Amino acid sequence: MTAKPIVREVLPADLRQDRLPKHVAVIMDGNGRWAKNRGLPRIMGHRRGVDSLKRLLRCCRDWGVGALTAYAFSTENWGRPLEEVDFLMTLFERVLRQELAEMMEENVRIRFVGNLSGLPQSLRAEIDRAVIQTQRNQGIQFTVATNYGGRQEIIQACQAIATQVQKGQIQPEDIDETLFTRHLYTAEIGDPDLLIRTSGEMRISNFLLWQLAYAEIYVTPTLWPDFDQTEFHQALHAYQQRERRFGKVR
Ligand code: FPP
């Protein structure tokens, strides 16, 4: 049997390679509405949402965006109907199992951020397997925020730092941005340059509160299952028109 050739998309001519975001974060919103608009159960929207995420990951890899972080499940999402929560947990587990071989082939390194101890044991086992197997991959860095909350992340960092102070390992005046950043779930992946949110909501919904401090924000009315390559192209185009000043004057 011959191996399936990996077809790579070329960067559209109107985008500049040297001005691409290094790290894109995405709030994948609108799955439920997408399904409702078609008279389908909400879970069908989540299923289609997985296809959009796979498409975006490939596109990032092909066009040269080095890192993608996706908000899959927030600490607030436990408040959804039990059947939907159960469906999502099973979906994450199944997708991880099914996609691991392809992630290895495509050199993807997957990581998870969030309070992973609060997830079902069987999902944690799949997460551990995928994280360990892909840890030496040098291609795109793919991070999935699951049972993630930005405030909760900041609180756990504060607790860890306070414990170090209490033990006399560091002094209060040693606490600076660099030290704080090291205690976040994202210590190894850095801050996003661009945040994309679908479905038109103008919120960051407790996502990467510290890390998004200087990210450019792009909101599209498109619902997540319809977010495709053309949409991503538009988001990158908008990003390249922005002047990033990080609070300074040119
Ligand atoms: C938000 O839409 C979407 C979610 C809470 C789930 C997103 C998860 C996926 C797309 C699956 C990703 C899979 C892996 C393995 C990472 P919503 O339900 O809030 O939509 P609504 O606002 O229209 O109700």
Side-chain angles (χ1 to χ4, degrees):
M1 206 174 76
T2 47
K4 190 171 60 174
I6 298 176
V7 182
R8 303 212 183 257
E9 300 287 340
V10 248
L11 185 71
D14 62 341
L15 294 179
R16 283 182 52 179
Q17 188 84 56
D18 61 335
R19 293 197 54 173
L20 282 176
K22 289 187 177 56
H23 182 177
V24 171
V26 62
I27 301 180
M28 310 180 285
D29 198 13
N31 291 349
R33 274 164 283 171
W34 182 92
K36 189 163 173 247
N37 292 345
R38 286 163 178 75
L40 298 168
R42 291 175 55 81
I43 58 167
M44 292 307 287
H46 297 316
R47 261 203 197 129
R48 287 297 285 265
V50 174
D51 298 335
S52 291
L53 184 57
K54 282 166 63 180
R55 201 160 51 213
L56 178 61
L57 183 64
R58 284 211 184 93
C59 209
C60 284
R61 180 207 62 193
D62 290 354
W63 290 356
V65 172
L68 174 68
T69 299
Y71 203 5
F73 194 86
S74 74
T75 45
E76 290 71 35
N77 286 155
W78 295 108
R80 293 185 173 216
L82 187 62
E83 316 83 74
E84 185 171 341
V85 171
D86 281 351
F87 176 85
L88 281 168
M89 295 299 144
T90 312
L91 180 71
F92 297 154
E93 203 176 312
R94 199 180 59 228
V95 170
L96 271 179
R97 204 166 32 240
Q98 285 171 353
E99 300 297 325
L100 185 55
E102 198 162 331
M103 285 194 283
M104 289 304 292
E105 242 170 70
E106 301 198 4
N107 207 14
V108 176
R109 177 170 185 181
I110 193 168
R111 289 186 176 92
F112 283 79
V113 290
N115 179 8
L116 304 184
S117 62
L119 297 172
Q121 181 53 44
S122 52
L123 173 56
R124 276 165 59 196
E126 286 302 333
I127 289 177
D128 288 346
R129 203 155 73 97
V131 169
I132 291 168
Q133 265 202 46
T134 64
Q135 69 187 345
R136 287 198 184 78
N137 289 353
Q138 304 278 317
I140 185 160
Q141 309 286 301
F142 177 39
T143 305
V144 185
T146 315
N147 196 16
Y148 174 88
R151 289 185 173 179
Q152 185 260 333
E153 177 184 36
I154 289 171
I155 287 171
Q156 68 78 35
C158 290
Q159 287 172 341
I161 294 168
T163 305
Q164 288 188 342
V165 173
Q166 195 178 38
K167 288 182 178 164
Q169 292 165 341
I170 57 168
Q171 298 303 309
E173 53 277 18
D174 296 331
I175 303 169
D176 58 10
E177 291 190 14
T178 311
L179 183 137
F180 197 81
T181 302
R182 278 208 302 269
H183 286 86
L184 296 172
Y185 297 135
T186 51
E188 291 173 31
I189 52 178
D191 296 347
D193 303 296
L194 169 64
L195 170 72
I196 298 173
R197 180 167 189 151
T198 56
S199 97
E201 309 288 353
M202 303 285 184
R203 289 191 288 275
I204 57 171
S205 300
N206 205 14
F207 188 39
L208 303 177
L209 295 181
W210 172 278
Q211 299 86 339
L212 290 172
Y214 285 103
E216 295 297 328
I217 300 180
Y218 178 85
V219 177
T220 168
T222 300
L223 304 178
W224 176 250
D226 291 327
F227 189 88
D228 59 10
Q229 194 166 313
T230 308
E231 289 279 341
F232 187 43
H233 179 176
Q234 280 165 11
L236 293 177
H237 192 264
Y239 173 83
Q240 296 200 338
Q241 308 308 307
R242 309 261 180 103
E243 188 195 356
R244 301 191 74 200
R245 290 191 281 129
F246 301 93
K248 302 185 186 100
V249 175
R250 271 194 88 124

Coordinates of all heavy atoms in Angstrom, one line a residue, residues 129-178:
R129 N -1.7 9.9 26.7 CA -1.1 9.2 25.6 C -0.7 10.1 24.5 O 0.4 10.0 24.0 CB -2.2 8.1 25.1 CG -1.6 6.9 24.4 CD -2.5 5.8 24.5 NE -3.7 6.0 23.7 CZ -3.8 5.5 22.4 NH1 -2.8 4.8 21.9 NH2 -4.9 5.7 21.7
A130 N -1.7 11.0 24.1 CA -1.4 11.9 23.0 C -0.3 12.8 23.3 O 0.6 13.1 22.4 CB -2.7 12.6 22.6
V131 N -0.3 13.4 24.5 CA 0.7 14.4 24.9 C 2.1 13.7 24.9 O 3.1 14.2 24.3 CB 0.4 15.0 26.3 CG1 1.6 15.8 26.8 CG2 -0.9 15.9 26.1
I132 N 2.2 12.5 25.5 CA 3.5 11.8 25.6 C 4.0 11.4 24.2 O 5.1 11.6 23.8 CB 3.4 10.6 26.6 CG1 3.2 11.2 28.0 CG2 4.6 9.7 26.5 CD1 2.8 10.1 29.0
Q133 N 3.1 10.8 23.4 CA 3.5 10.3 22.1 C 4.0 11.5 21.1 O 4.8 11.3 20.3 CB 2.4 9.6 21.4 CG 2.5 8.1 21.6 CD 1.7 7.3 20.6 OE1 1.8 7.6 19.4 NE2 1.0 6.4 21.0
T134 N 3.4 12.6 21.3 CA 3.7 13.7 20.3 C 4.8 14.7 20.9 O 5.1 15.7 20.2 CB 2.4 14.5 19.9 OG1 1.9 15.2 21.1 CG2 1.4 13.6 19.3
Q135 N 5.3 14.4 22.1 CA 6.1 15.4 22.7 C 7.4 15.8 22.0 O 8.0 16.8 22.2 CB 6.4 15.1 24.2 CG 7.3 13.9 24.4 CD 7.3 13.5 25.9 OE1 6.9 14.3 26.8 NE2 7.8 12.3 26.2
R136 N 7.9 14.9 21.1 CA 9.1 15.2 20.4 C 8.8 15.7 19.0 O 9.7 16.0 18.3 CB 10.0 13.9 20.3 CG 10.6 13.6 21.6 CD 11.8 12.7 21.6 NE 12.2 12.4 22.9 CZ 11.6 11.5 23.7 NH1 10.6 10.8 23.3 NH2 12.0 11.4 24.9
N137 N 7.6 15.9 18.7 CA 7.2 16.4 17.3 C 7.6 17.9 17.3 O 7.4 18.6 18.2 CB 5.8 16.2 17.0 CG 5.4 14.7 16.8 OD1 6.3 13.9 16.7 ND2 4.2 14.4 16.6
Q138 N 8.2 18.2 16.1 CA 8.7 19.6 16.0 C 7.9 20.5 15.1 O 8.2 21.6 14.8 CB 10.1 19.5 15.3 CG 11.1 18.6 16.0 CD 11.8 19.3 17.2 OE1 12.1 20.5 17.0 NE2 11.9 18.7 18.3
G139 N 6.7 20.0 14.6 CA 5.9 20.8 13.7 C 5.0 21.7 14.5 O 5.4 22.2 15.5
I140 N 3.8 21.9 14.0 CA 2.9 22.9 14.7 C 2.6 22.5 16.2 O 2.5 21.3 16.5 CB 1.6 23.1 13.9 CG1 0.8 24.2 14.5 CG2 0.8 21.8 13.7 CD1 -0.3 24.8 13.6
Q141 N 2.6 23.5 17.0 CA 2.3 23.3 18.4 C 0.7 23.5 18.6 O 0.3 24.6 18.4 CB 3.0 24.3 19.3 CG 4.5 24.4 19.0 CD 5.2 23.3 19.6 OE1 5.2 23.0 20.8 NE2 5.9 22.5 18.7
F142 N 0.1 22.4 18.9 CA -1.4 22.5 19.0 C -1.8 22.3 20.5 O -1.5 21.3 21.1 CB -2.0 21.4 18.1 CG -3.5 21.3 18.2 CD1 -4.3 22.4 18.2 CD2 -4.1 20.0 18.2 CE1 -5.7 22.3 18.2 CE2 -5.5 19.9 18.2 CZ -6.3 21.1 18.2
T143 N -2.5 23.4 21.0 CA -2.9 23.3 22.4 C -4.4 23.4 22.5 O -5.0 24.2 21.9 CB -2.3 24.5 23.2 OG1 -0.9 24.5 23.0 CG2 -2.6 24.5 24.7
V144 N -4.9 22.5 23.3 CA -6.4 22.4 23.5 C -6.7 22.8 25.0 O -6.2 22.2 25.9 CB -6.9 21.0 23.2 CG1 -8.4 21.0 23.3 CG2 -6.4 20.5 21.9
A145 N -7.5 23.9 25.1 CA -7.9 24.3 26.5 C -9.2 23.5 26.8 O -10.2 23.7 26.2 CB -8.2 25.8 26.5
T146 N -9.1 22.7 27.9 CA -10.2 21.8 28.3 C -10.3 21.9 29.8 O -9.4 21.8 30.5 CB -9.8 20.4 27.9 OG1 -9.3 20.3 26.6 CG2 -11.1 19.5 27.9
N147 N -11.6 22.2 30.2 CA -11.8 22.5 31.6 C -10.9 23.7 32.0 O -10.2 23.6 33.0 CB -11.6 21.3 32.6 CG -12.3 21.5 33.9 OD1 -13.1 22.4 34.1 ND2 -11.9 20.8 34.9
Y148 N -10.9 24.6 31.1 CA -10.0 25.8 31.3 C -10.8 27.0 31.7 O -11.9 27.3 31.2 CB -9.3 26.1 29.9 CG -8.5 27.3 30.0 CD1 -7.1 27.3 30.5 CD2 -9.0 28.6 29.8 CE1 -6.4 28.5 30.7 CE2 -8.3 29.8 29.9 CZ -7.0 29.7 30.4 OH -6.3 30.8 30.5
G149 N -10.2 27.8 32.6 CA -10.8 29.1 33.0 C -9.6 30.0 33.3 O -8.7 29.6 34.1
G150 N -9.6 31.2 32.7 CA -8.5 32.1 32.9 C -8.3 32.6 34.3 O -7.2 32.6 34.8
R151 N -9.4 32.8 35.0 CA -9.3 33.3 36.4 C -8.8 32.2 37.3 O -7.9 32.4 38.1 CB -10.7 33.7 36.9 CG -11.2 35.0 36.3 CD -12.5 35.4 36.9 NE -12.8 36.8 36.4 CZ -13.9 37.4 36.8 NH1 -14.8 36.8 37.6 NH2 -14.2 38.6 36.3
Q152 N -9.3 31.0 37.0 CA -8.9 29.8 37.8 C -7.3 29.5 37.6 O -6.6 29.2 38.5 CB -9.7 28.6 37.4 CG -9.5 27.3 38.2 CD -8.6 26.4 37.4 OE1 -8.6 26.4 36.2 NE2 -7.9 25.5 38.1
E153 N -6.9 29.8 36.3 CA -5.5 29.6 36.0 C -4.6 30.6 36.8 O -3.6 30.2 37.4 CB -5.3 29.8 34.5 CG -3.8 29.7 34.1 CD -3.6 30.0 32.6 OE1 -4.3 30.9 32.1 OE2 -2.7 29.4 32.0
I154 N -5.1 31.8 36.9 CA -4.4 32.9 37.6 C -4.3 32.6 39.1 O -3.3 32.7 39.8 CB -5.0 34.3 37.3 CG1 -4.7 34.6 35.8 CG2 -4.5 35.3 38.3 CD1 -5.4 35.9 35.3
I155 N -5.5 32.1 39.6 CA -5.5 31.8 41.1 C -4.6 30.6 41.4 O -3.8 30.7 42.4 CB -7.0 31.4 41.5 CG1 -7.8 32.7 41.5 CG2 -7.0 30.7 42.9 CD1 -9.3 32.6 41.7
Q156 N -4.5 29.6 40.5 CA -3.6 28.5 40.8 C -2.2 28.9 40.7 O -1.3 28.5 41.5 CB -4.0 27.2 40.1 CG -3.7 27.2 38.6 CD -2.3 27.0 38.2 OE1 -1.5 26.3 38.9 NE2 -1.8 27.7 37.1
A157 N -1.9 29.9 39.8 CA -0.5 30.4 39.8 C -0.2 31.1 41.1 O 0.9 31.0 41.6 CB -0.4 31.3 38.5
C158 N -1.1 32.0 41.5 CA -0.9 32.7 42.8 C -0.7 31.8 44.0 O 0.2 32.0 44.8 CB -2.1 33.6 43.1 SG -2.3 34.9 42.0
Q159 N -1.5 30.7 44.0 CA -1.3 29.8 45.1 C 0.1 29.1 45.1 O 0.7 29.0 46.1 CB -2.4 28.7 45.1 CG -3.7 29.2 45.5 CD -4.9 28.2 45.2 OE1 -4.7 27.3 44.5 NE2 -6.0 28.5 45.9
A160 N 0.5 28.7 43.9 CA 1.8 28.1 43.7 C 3.0 29.0 44.2 O 3.9 28.7 44.9 CB 2.0 27.6 42.3
I161 N 2.8 30.3 43.8 CA 3.9 31.3 44.1 C 3.8 31.6 45.6 O 4.9 31.6 46.2 CB 3.6 32.6 43.2 CG1 3.9 32.3 41.8 CG2 4.6 33.7 43.7 CD1 3.5 33.4 40.8
A162 N 2.6 31.7 46.2 CA 2.5 32.0 47.6 C 3.1 30.9 48.4 O 3.8 31.1 49.4 CB 1.0 32.1 48.0
T163 N 3.0 29.6 47.9 CA 3.6 28.5 48.6 C 5.1 28.6 48.6 O 5.8 28.3 49.6 CB 3.1 27.1 48.0 OG1 1.7 27.1 48.0 CG2 3.6 25.9 48.7
Q164 N 5.6 29.0 47.5 CA 7.1 29.2 47.4 C 7.6 30.3 48.3 O 8.6 30.1 49.0 CB 7.5 29.5 46.0 CG 7.4 28.4 45.0 CD 8.0 28.7 43.6 OE1 8.2 29.8 43.3 NE2 8.2 27.6 42.9
V165 N 6.8 31.3 48.5 CA 7.2 32.4 49.4 C 7.1 31.9 50.8 O 8.1 32.1 51.6 CB 6.2 33.7 49.2 CG1 6.5 34.7 50.3 CG2 6.4 34.3 47.8
Q166 N 6.0 31.2 51.1 CA 5.9 30.7 52.5 C 7.0 29.7 52.9 O 7.5 29.8 54.0 CB 4.5 29.9 52.5 CG 4.0 29.6 53.9 CD 2.7 28.8 53.8 OE1 2.5 28.0 52.9 NE2 1.8 29.1 54.7
K167 N 7.5 29.0 51.9 CA 8.6 28.1 52.2 C 10.0 28.8 52.2 O 11.0 28.1 52.4 CB 8.7 26.9 51.2 CG 7.5 25.9 51.3 CD 7.7 24.9 50.2 CE 6.6 23.8 50.4 NZ 6.6 23.0 49.2
G168 N 9.9 30.1 51.9 CA 11.2 30.8 51.9 C 12.0 30.6 50.6 O 13.2 31.0 50.5
Q169 N 11.4 29.9 49.6 CA 12.2 29.7 48.3 C 12.3 30.9 47.5 O 13.3 31.1 46.8 CB 11.4 28.6 47.5 CG 11.5 27.2 48.2 CD 10.5 26.2 47.6 OE1 9.5 26.6 47.0 NE2 10.7 25.0 47.9
I170 N 11.4 31.8 47.6 CA 11.5 33.1 46.9 C 11.0 34.2 47.8 O 10.3 34.0 48.8 CB 10.7 33.2 45.5 CG1 9.2 32.9 45.8 CG2 11.3 32.3 44.5 CD1 8.3 33.2 44.6
Q171 N 11.4 35.5 47.5 CA 10.9 36.6 48.2 C 9.8 37.3 47.4 O 9.8 37.2 46.2 CB 12.1 37.6 48.4 CG 13.3 37.1 49.2 CD 12.8 36.6 50.6 OE1 12.2 37.4 51.3 NE2 13.2 35.4 50.9
P172 N 8.9 38.0 48.1 CA 7.8 38.7 47.4 C 8.3 39.5 46.3 O 7.7 39.6 45.2 CB 7.1 39.5 48.5 CG 7.3 38.8 49.7 CD 8.7 38.2 49.6
E173 N 9.4 40.2 46.5 CA 10.0 41.1 45.4 C 10.5 40.4 44.2 O 10.8 41.0 43.2 CB 10.9 42.1 46.0 CG 12.1 41.6 46.8 CD 11.8 41.3 48.3 OE1 10.6 41.2 48.6 OE2 12.7 41.2 49.1
D174 N 10.7 39.0 44.3 CA 11.1 38.2 43.2 C 10.0 38.0 42.2 O 10.2 37.6 41.1 CB 11.6 36.8 43.6 CG 12.8 36.9 44.5 OD1 13.6 37.9 44.3 OD2 13.0 36.0 45.3
I175 N 8.8 38.3 42.6 CA 7.6 38.1 41.7 C 7.5 39.2 40.7 O 7.4 40.3 40.9 CB 6.3 38.0 42.5 CG1 6.4 37.0 43.6 CG2 5.1 37.7 41.6 CD1 5.2 37.0 44.6
D176 N 7.7 38.7 39.4 CA 7.6 39.7 38.3 C 6.8 38.9 37.2 O 6.4 37.8 37.4 CB 9.0 40.2 37.8 CG 9.9 39.1 37.4 OD1 9.4 37.9 37.3 OD2 11.1 39.3 37.2
E177 N 6.7 39.6 36.0 CA 5.9 39.0 34.9 C 6.5 37.6 34.5 O 5.8 36.7 34.2 CB 5.8 39.9 33.8 CG 4.9 41.1 34.1 CD 4.5 42.0 32.9 OE1 4.7 41.5 31.7 OE2 4.1 43.1 33.1
T178 N 7.8 37.6 34.4 CA 8.5 36.4 33.9 C 8.2 35.2 34.9 O 7.8 34.1 34.5 CB 10.0 36.6 33.8 OG1 10.2 37.8 33.1 CG2 10.7 35.5 33.2

